[in-house]
Amino acid sequence: MSKIPGSVVDDCRIISIERHPHRQGTLTVAQNSGTLPFDLRRIYYIYDIPANSERGGHAHIEQESLVMAVGGSFDVTVSDGGKTKKFTLNRPYEGLYIPAGIWRHIDNFSSGSIVLVLASTDFSEDDYIRNFEDFVTAKAQK
Ligand code: TYD
């Protein structure tokens, strides 16, 4: 866990994704060249989310992410072990960039919301820190 990066909450930022509006619907595209601050390796999405659910509750050691509300809305709270910041996501053409080494907690889901995550790495449980106290301790050692 000593490998955790010394990233801070202020490194998190909203990124606007390329939009192609049309009378019959809008198309949005994310691609490695230009849009994303990392090379895309994997996507996953979360749906059928019951009311009052809480997701996230972890940090990654290597994985960078772009978290998007492609349907509905929800709040993403990020922490670097010191500072905390809450972002409300509700536009399918915007994503929250979360660098490695940042704690994330997602809640306040609207009905029918869909969380799309663009990720920089393959899935590995070894890349997770799932205990907040361990996370704070690791960040304090940076
Ligand atoms: P997790 O990342 O904890 O979800 P969230 O951050 O949204 O709360 O993942 C939930 C479960 O799904 C966990 O058992 C690991 C598994 N999982 C995979 O098998 N592959 C994946 O790519 C992801 C993201 C999760």
Side-chain angles (χ1 to χ4, degrees):
M1 218 178 285
S2 56
K3 291 179 294 175
I4 195 164
S7 47
V8 293
V9 152
D10 288 338
D11 297 327
C12 299
R13 63 184 188 277
I14 298 291
I15 292 177
S16 272
I17 303 295
E18 184 179 324
R19 260 189 299 170
H20 298 272
H22 188 273
R23 282 192 316 280
Q24 296 176 60
T26 300
L27 183 151
T28 280
V29 57
Q31 54 190 334
N32 284 332
S33 49
T35 318
L36 298 173
F38 53 83
D39 275 345
L40 177 60
R41 179 72 187 175
R42 174 172 51 110
I43 70 163
Y44 60 92
Y45 46 100
I46 307 166
Y47 51 95
D48 288 347
I49 303 168
N52 302 316
S53 289
E54 299 183 2
R55 303 287 315 207
H58 58 72
H60 288 282
I61 298 165
E62 278 187 25
Q63 182 190 307
E64 299 172 73
S65 317
L66 190 78
V67 179
M68 303 182 67
V70 292
S73 67
F74 49 82
D75 295 336
V76 186
T77 303
V78 289
S79 169
D80 55 23
K83 194 171 168 185
T84 293
K85 200 167 171 181
K86 183 164 83 175
F87 294 86
T88 297
L89 297 181
N90 54 15
R91 299 187 176 109
Y93 56 88
E94 283 183 352
L96 175 64
Y97 170 65
I98 306 178
I102 296 291
W103 189 268
R104 74 184 68 179
H105 175 85
I106 312 178
D107 62 7
N108 197 24
F109 295 96
S110 70
S111 171
S113 56
I114 301 174
V115 184
L116 174 66
V117 181
L118 312 184
S120 66
T121 61
D122 288 330
F123 174 74
S124 167
E125 188 59 41
D126 292 343
D127 192 54
Y128 283 73
I129 302 173
R130 292 191 182 273
N131 179 288
F132 189 68
E133 299 307 317
D134 291 348
F135 169 72
V136 172
T137 301
K139 291 296 270 189
Q141 288 165 0
K142 292 310 295 178

